[in-house]
Amino acid sequence: MSFSLAERDDTIIALATPQGVGAIAVIRLSGKDAIKITNSVFFGKNLENVPSHTIHLGTIRDGEKIIDEVLVSVFIAPKSFTKENVVEISTHGSSYIINQVLKLFVRKGVRLAKPGEFTQRAFLNGQFDLAQAEAVADLIHADSETSHQAALNQMRGGFSSEIQELRNQLIHFASMIELELDFVEEDVEFASRDDLRSLVERILRIVEELILSFDLGNVIKNGVPTVIAGKPNAGKSTLLNALLNEEKAIVSDIAGTTRDFIEDEISIGGVIFRFIDTAGLRETTDTIEAIGVSRTQEKMKTASLILYLFDLSDTDLVEINRDINKLENLGVPFLKVANKTDKAKENIINELKEKHPDTIFISAGKKENLEGLKSRILELVNLDKFRTGNTIVTNVRHYNSLTKTRESLLDVLTGLDQEVTNDFLAMDIRRSLHYLGEITGQVTTDDLLANIFSKFCIGK
């Protein structure tokens, strides 16, 4: 999806609220003629004479036919989301009314907006940079406290200002080195190589911190895939039901009841965890159950966290140690969860506490110590960095650009070590500037913009 220069001059329209019947719907227009065209079908005040940021009651009419009684909000350029004239029409939420209003405006020469076109116009008109524009979509789709906060911080420009500051410092040195190229015969040095090395090393440290933050940012944005695993009848489905506070999974005393994985989400401390209840791990001759066991093993390998349940009523320390060794070899973070403490013998609890003091003791059936389990789960996410206000990278495009920036900066340092000529040094610095500029939109292509904004919902 891309927009021609001619299309950017169009007045566009879209439903800004979700599809379906509701109490109200909001239809948004943006463009030079948005107010003028709306005024031609609105009966109430003359919208071309009203102040910006005002709301007016009237009717939308198709000739003599009244389509609906509406509220019209007027935003006069440049004081609007897109920095163009914007009108938002609040109608009743009937799909018939919505369609009639949209058809009427299309007949008046308004074009139906493409996905993300309102936000793209805001970006192209300088309302905010590209990273902030992407944060708009993240804010819309935020489904937890932390993902909402991360998107809000980015939309307000915290990440962008940090990137811009790094870029400005590099631009200064790049200009000095390129100036030296004009005085090559005089052997003049405008940019101290020691100062350049110090700057590049400092920027590298910041870039590497941002790159490392992506693991946490990805968790904040997409949630933590958490596998509940263990032997048959360890209480995996009971634990899932207890965490969700609903009967999501079938619970039975018959071993092998869960033959495929069951998945659902829960917010813990503002972070979304995607809990996956899996088939019990055991040797089996049942073909269907064997497929379930195989899928469990695959899910465990790709999980961000494993809750491994031990049935204290039907296991011993030898078996527990054997399973823990297998988990350690898997290389995935895991929590040792001893279940059915209400049915366990005291000696095995004491042995576990001595040999594995980090074990969490619960009774899923009686919902005992679930809060303690949740606290331990949350500890592994390590939100301290996020809560102290540090910039967190949540966007894979930004992560890729930062990775390329790091490679280019390392090439600058290599060039300084090898005392390469100024033209090669300037080339590596320009490459670093290019990748940093991709993040905030100083460097763009039509394909890049089309890819980003095509993922937005229509009407935003």
Side-chain angles (χ1 to χ4, degrees), residues 13-15 27 97-106 112:
I13 189 170
L15 177 66
I27 296 169
I97 292 172
I98 294 165
N99 289 331
Q100 290 300 305
V101 172
L102 291 173
K103 287 178 182 177
L104 175 61
F105 277 96
V106 169
L112 293 174

Side-chain angles (χ1 to χ4, degrees), residues 182-251:
D182 296 331
F183 295 88
V184 63
E185 293 181 3
E186 284 80 0
D187 193 26
V188 177
E189 183 178 272
F190 292 102
S192 163
R193 296 305 184 264
D194 289 339
D195 289 347
L196 176 59
R197 178 185 295 278
S198 177
L199 173 65
V200 170
E201 287 175 345
R202 185 163 57 82
I203 293 176
L204 256 175
R205 285 194 296 272
I206 297 171
V207 167
E208 286 173 347
E209 283 180 10
L210 290 172
I211 289 170
L212 289 172
S213 77
F214 180 69
D215 286 342
L216 175 58
N218 199 39
V219 161
I220 289 170
K221 186 173 180 179
N222 300 313
V224 186
T226 305
V227 167
I228 303 175
K231 297 289 174 60
N233 275 353
K236 300 180 296 297
S237 297
T238 303
L239 177 59
L240 177 67
N241 290 342
L243 290 170
L244 298 174
N245 206 26
E246 64 171 295
E247 298 300 311
K248 181 81 175 183
I250 298 171
V251 176

Side-chain angles (χ1 to χ4, degrees), residues 326-342:
K326 290 179 182 177
L327 289 166
E328 288 172 343
N329 292 331
L330 201 59
V332 177
F334 67 94
L335 288 179
K336 306 158 194 169
V337 185
N339 189 27
K340 304 185 185 179
T341 52
D342 53 313

Side-chain angles (χ1 to χ4, degrees), residues 7-24:
E7 284 182 316
R8 290 173 189 173
D9 291 330
D10 293 345
T11 296
I12 56 175
I13 189 170
L15 177 66
T17 45
Q19 294 280 355
V21 177
I24 63 168

Side-chain angles (χ1 to χ4, degrees), residues 45-214:
K45 284 188 178 179
N46 183 347
L47 299 178
E48 294 188 85
N49 294 332
V50 301
S52 183
H53 293 68
T54 54
I55 302 175
H56 309 279
L57 176 66
T59 57
I60 295 290
R61 301 190 187 191
D62 184 0
E64 295 298 315
K65 177 185 174 184
I66 297 176
I67 296 177
D68 196 16
E69 187 173 68
V70 300
L71 286 173
V72 173
S73 305
V74 176
F75 306 90
I76 299 174
K79 296 180 179 180
S80 72
F81 177 72
T82 61
K83 286 201 165 184
E84 301 174 337
N85 287 335
V86 170
V87 174
E88 292 183 352
I89 305 169
S90 299
T91 73
H92 291 91
S94 155
S95 58
Y96 172 78
I97 292 172
I98 294 165
N99 289 331
Q100 290 300 305
V101 172
L102 291 173
K103 287 178 182 177
L104 175 61
F105 277 96
V106 169
R107 290 204 306 273
K108 293 287 182 177
V110 180
R111 176 171 59 80
L112 293 174
K114 299 174 183 178
E117 191 167 0
F118 290 92
T119 308
Q120 177 158 0
R121 287 190 175 196
F123 163 68
L124 293 172
N125 292 330
Q127 180 74 290
F128 37 59
D129 65 33
L130 196 54
Q132 290 173 293
E134 289 170 296
V136 172
D138 289 343
L139 193 62
I140 291 169
H141 293 104
D143 54 4
S144 70
E145 178 187 350
T146 48
S147 59
H148 165 265
Q149 192 59 51
L152 199 60
N153 290 345
Q154 184 173 314
M155 194 176 73
R156 288 178 171 177
F159 178 50
S160 298
S161 59
E162 190 163 348
I163 294 298
Q164 188 57 48
E165 176 60 27
L166 299 180
R167 199 166 185 272
N168 287 341
Q169 293 175 47
L170 270 180
I171 286 172
H172 171 71
F173 268 93
S175 61
M176 291 297 101
I177 287 174
E178 292 188 11
L179 185 61
E180 288 179 14
L181 293 173
D182 296 331
F183 295 88
V184 63
E185 293 181 3
E186 284 80 0
D187 193 26
V188 177
E189 183 178 272
F190 292 102
S192 163
R193 296 305 184 264
D194 289 339
D195 289 347
L196 176 59
R197 178 185 295 278
S198 177
L199 173 65
V200 170
E201 287 175 345
R202 185 163 57 82
I203 293 176
L204 256 175
R205 285 194 296 272
I206 297 171
V207 167
E208 286 173 347
E209 283 180 10
L210 290 172
I211 289 170
L212 289 172
S213 77
F214 180 69

Side-chain angles (χ1 to χ4, degrees), residues 323-460:
D323 289 346
I324 288 173
N325 287 335
K326 290 179 182 177
L327 289 166
E328 288 172 343
N329 292 331
L330 201 59
V332 177
F334 67 94
L335 288 179
K336 306 158 194 169
V337 185
N339 189 27
K340 304 185 185 179
T341 52
D342 53 313
K343 299 179 181 178
K345 293 178 180 178
E346 190 175 342
N347 66 309
I348 193 169
I349 292 178
N350 292 335
E351 287 176 359
L352 259 178
K353 286 180 177 179
E354 182 183 345
K355 298 288 185 182
H356 302 284
D358 56 341
T359 302
I360 305 160
F361 294 86
I362 69 166
S363 172
K366 293 186 177 295
K367 298 186 178 180
E368 292 176 355
N369 199 30
L370 294 188
E371 291 306 313
L373 174 60
K374 289 179 185 178
S375 295
R376 286 291 300 279
I377 290 171
L378 201 56
E379 283 175 14
L380 292 183
V381 180
N382 189 18
L383 289 178
D384 290 344
K385 188 173 183 180
F386 176 73
R387 286 172 176 149
T388 53
N390 290 13
T391 301
I392 303 294
V393 177
T394 62
N395 186 304
V396 68
R397 187 183 72 83
H398 302 167
Y399 171 80
N400 289 334
S401 292
L402 286 166
T403 301
K404 292 173 183 175
T405 300
R406 177 176 61 186
E407 292 170 0
S408 301
L409 291 172
L410 289 171
D411 287 341
V412 174
L413 291 180
T414 301
L416 288 171
D417 289 337
Q418 296 176 354
E419 298 183 352
V420 299
T421 57
N422 284 353
D423 49 349
F424 284 105
L425 204 55
M427 188 185 305
D428 289 330
I429 295 175
R430 282 198 299 268
R431 203 150 46 90
S432 303
L433 289 169
H434 174 90
Y435 292 127
L436 283 174
E438 278 187 342
I439 295 173
T440 52
Q442 280 105 333
V443 177
T444 60
T445 63
D446 287 341
D447 288 341
L448 173 65
L449 296 181
N451 180 56
I452 290 171
F453 289 104
S454 65
K455 297 172 184 175
F456 280 57
C457 54
I458 292 174
K460 193 59 183 174

